[in-house]
Amino acid sequence: MFAKKVRSYAKVNLSLNILGKEGEYHCIDSVVASVNIWDTVCVKPRADKLINVYMHGLGSENIPPERNNAVKAGEAFVSAFGTAGADIEIYKDIPLSAGLGGSSADAAGVLNALAKLYKIDSAALKPIADSLGSDTGYMLTGGFARLRGRGEKVAPLPCKRQLDMLLFLPGEGVSSAACYRAYDTAPDLPREDSARMASALAAGDFPSIAANVYNALGAPAASLCPEVAQALEAAASFSPAAYAVTGSGSAVFALFEGEALCHWAKSRYKGKMRTRVVHTLVPGSRKISRLASPFALTEEEIEQAGGPRGE
């Protein structure tokens, strides 16, 4: 049997509202999208039922096996389907503890790769994914979606345009549990941003998309991590259409109307934080286009104008 390889993509939270708690879990209403950063998961069959996971890159080699969702995913797969085990190599490009879904992406990638290896229907993976993490079920397919409940209720969304962003990547991560605890000390009122965001994506309405970017965990993340606050300030300095923390941080995205503006901001940023120009995508699909605004500028025109909107 040949080895199998899959890409598992990062995500950003375009909107994230918290509606309350059910027991120990927070109930969310969030619109998410995959972006073109991914971890590569390679699996090879074993004759026994063991799962061995080897991590590569970004310090992932130091993740203890008992805390590694990729290990848990492999073991849960073997237990659920009675297959043989696998040797698994994961090559990381999704930053750790950044709110980009790296841990969930690895767990979902392992499930998808093992399903290919052992010819298991991918439709059977969702219950296992949900048991591993709130957004792991979404990560099985990615794309544009609205997540509710703990994040396990996934409703795919249509979107008529590609979104371009500049990511600011602090060196320090943020604990999701600590961020939710900080939120609980000063919760905000539920908003309708996710419903409006879903409608704006379906219409390809960029101004409305930008107007509904919001993250209820942004302020708690900034209070816990000074670098998050610095990233938000840096993002704001380039006058993007919108900017926000993704997930519980620590990454911050600045949304611009066109890739050229993202590169313009990246070239002008003089801080020490890592930055990356990314765009949204639907894994396995080539149907999403930029639908560029007739007012979008080229990089040369941006240089001549001195910045976004001639500022």
Side-chain angles (χ1 to χ4, degrees), residues 170-174 218-234 245 250 252 273:
E172 183 181 353
V174 175
S223 72
L224 292 171
C225 179
E227 278 193 285
V228 173
Q230 294 167 17
L232 287 166
E233 183 178 355
V245 172
S250 58
V252 168
M273 210 172 293

Side-chain angles (χ1 to χ4, degrees), residues 12-27:
V12 294
N13 295 82
L14 298 173
S15 66
L16 196 164
N17 278 281
I18 299 173
L19 307 182
K21 294 181 72 174
E22 289 185 2
E24 61 185 68
Y25 293 105
H26 289 80
C27 298

